[in-house]
Amino acid sequence: MKKIIVIVMFSWFGLHSLEVEAQTIQWTSFDNLTDSLRKERRPLLVFIHTDWCKYCKMMEVKTFTDPLIVNTLNRSFYCLDLNAEEALSLTFLNKKYKFKPSGVNTGIQELAEILGTENGKLSYPTTVFFDQNLQVQNRVVGALEAKQLLKLLPVNE
């Protein structure tokens, strides 16, 4: 009987602890950005990445799940997730951008190239910050830890 009680208690506490849901960034789609900006002007954060980039994955798993980062970005920014090698066309700030093939099953998203290129080179990850007037304020090449990203975010309280 004691074993059953112990098992039930561990099961209940184990399941109860799983109820705490991880916070995640509310990524705004490029299709919905114009409507979102009409409702409320906010700064933008554009995260440029690829599927194969391990530093990009580190940011997705660590930086963009940090509770303070998630809370700050979800409250004050529109966040856009831009896979630089995804073969699709996008509209950003009323302009269309295409995927530019560069070989068999490879290429680059034109918008990623325009926003992320620094000194003639596009590196991953790159994070681009726009103010609420939609002007580029900062471009950071390389992985950012939560503390580093927090220091780059303007305080709009």
Side-chain angles (χ1 to χ4, degrees), residues 23-25 65-77:
Q23 291 185 327
T24 57
I25 300 293
T65 59
D66 179 274
L68 191 54
I69 293 293
V70 170
N71 187 33
T72 302
L73 290 177
N74 286 346
R75 185 181 68 243
S76 304
F77 284 77

Side-chain angles (χ1 to χ4, degrees), residues 50 84-87 99-110 124:
T50 64
E85 296 180 334
E86 192 170 13
F99 178 77
K100 297 177 2 184
S102 60
V104 178
N105 296 324
T106 186
I108 189 162
Q109 175 49 247
E110 188 178 29
Y124 308 110

Side-chain angles (χ1 to χ4, degrees), residues 119-132:
N119 298 324
K121 184 177 179 185
L122 177 59
S123 299
Y124 308 110
T126 295
T127 309
V128 184
F129 300 89
F130 289 78
D131 64 16
Q132 47 189 41

Side-chain angles (χ1 to χ4, degrees), residues 31 86-91 97-99 109:
D31 292 338
E86 192 170 13
L88 54 82
S89 294
L90 299 171
T91 300
Y97 298 91
K98 299 180 212 165
F99 178 77
Q109 175 49 247

